Amino acid sequence: DGGITQSPKYLFRKEGQNVTLSCEQNLNHDAMYWYRQDPGQGLRLIYYSQIVNDFQKGDIAEGYSVSREKKESFPLTVTSAQKNPTAFYLCASSFDSRYGYTFGSGTRLTVV
Amino acid sequence: SQQGEEDPQALSIQEGENATMNCSYKTSINNLQWYRQNSGRGLVHLILIRSNEREKHSGRLRVTLDTSKKSSSLLITASRAADTASYFCATGPYNQGGKLIFGQGTELSVKP
């Protein structure tokens, strides 16, 4: 079955550490997106990529980095520069926004 | 930047009643989409309405779009307890590639 997979489901980070969240899709979608969701709030765009080897900053890119070396994969690194990383992270993919997004099940990141 | 504002923030109804959620946005759009999120899960795409459409139906869902007022509504008819979730509108701004901007969401509770 085609879909989008995020791992891990839960992730704990110590202060000063970098952590990488995985996002893989087998839908043959060109575009991929990372969003952050804080409790009781909507989604805020971190980074997005419309084609391999190219990506753009979203509204809250500071403290995050991404790569898009393969069409199927769009990993997100939360760096130590991100001062408040505790949140629910959602990855999505699409042919483009005219057709709607397919979302992964999310990664909940907690700083300990 | 949050383009969409949703109203109400929370809605509680009895099974069998209709639920109406509203979304307002600020800029010109290519389309407007509605998504559903069960607690702690990823979002699921429900319906997409293009800027040149005024109304669209899908099962028990009815979406309207008024581009002159920059607003949309989602109607769920004959609601069920399983409809309990958060509902988000998302807009695809004109000339901003494939990215979507999400509203804050409406939390719907359907009591059996």
Side-chain angles (χ1 to χ4, degrees):
Chain A
D1 288 340
I4 183 166
T5 302
Q6 289 187 243
S7 62
K9 190 174 177 66
Y10 298 96
L11 186 58
F12 298 90
R13 191 193 93 168
K14 292 183 180 179
E15 296 280 355
Q17 272 186 339
N18 292 353
V19 291
T20 298
L21 284 59
S22 171
C23 179
E24 303 274 336
Q25 55 100 358
N26 61 1
L27 299 165
N28 200 33
H29 285 168
D30 290 313
M32 297 186 75
Y33 311 84
W34 274 106
Y35 286 87
R36 169 181 172 141
Q37 186 177 32
D38 292 285
Q41 297 195 27
L43 281 65
R44 292 184 290 168
L45 182 63
I46 305 172
Y47 268 99
Y48 63 107
S49 167
Q50 294 177 294
I51 197 169
V52 174
N53 292 323
D54 188 46
F55 48 83
Q56 287 79 41
K57 293 182 179 180
D59 298 319
I60 56 165
E62 186 175 349
Y64 300 97
S65 66
V66 293
S67 62
R68 186 85 187 278
E69 296 176 2
K70 299 187 300 181
K71 188 175 186 177
E72 300 79 16
S73 178
F74 191 40
L76 173 74
T77 297
V78 184
T79 75
S80 57
Q82 171 50 239
K83 297 307 178 189
N84 184 23
T86 294
F88 190 48
Y89 291 86
L90 287 158
C91 180
S93 70
S94 72
F95 285 114
D96 64 52
S97 71
R98 294 173 295 174
Y99 302 98
Y101 288 5
T102 300
F103 277 86
S105 56
T107 293
R108 190 167 300 280
L109 173 63
T110 304
V111 173
V112 296
Chain B
S1 59
Q2 296 286 354
Q3 154 122 286
E5 292 186 6
E6 298 186 53
D7 172 56
Q9 291 188 330
L11 179 61
S12 182
I13 59 174
Q14 295 293 130
E15 237 178 357
E17 293 180 340
N18 295 344
T20 300
M21 289 160 265
N22 303 296
C23 171
S24 61
Y25 59 92
K26 298 174 184 172
T27 64
S28 296
I29 60 172
N30 286 318
N31 63 71
L32 187 143
Q33 305 177 30
W34 286 90
Y35 289 80
R36 166 195 170 124
Q37 183 181 36
N38 287 84
S39 182
R41 308 293 296 271
L43 279 70
V44 175
H45 181 255
L46 295 176
I47 195 165
L48 180 152
I49 186 164
R50 304 190 192 286
S51 59
N52 61 352
E53 297 176 310
R54 292 296 167 258
E55 187 171 313
K56 202 161 185 180
H57 297 254
S58 176
R60 293 184 296 113
L61 305 180
R62 172 178 168 253
V63 170
T64 61
L65 179 64
D66 187 335
T67 53
S68 67
K69 295 181 180 178
K70 292 187 168 57
S71 67
S72 173
S73 66
L74 171 68
L75 168 67
I76 303 174
T77 60
S79 62
R80 306 165 182 167
D83 293 329
T84 295
S86 293
Y87 292 82
F88 294 89
C89 71
T91 51
Y94 185 70
N95 274 348
Q96 289 196 36
K99 70 178 187 181
L100 288 178
I101 301 175
F102 285 81
Q104 302 279 25
T106 293
E107 192 172 331
L108 174 65
S109 174
V110 182
K111 300 187 188 318

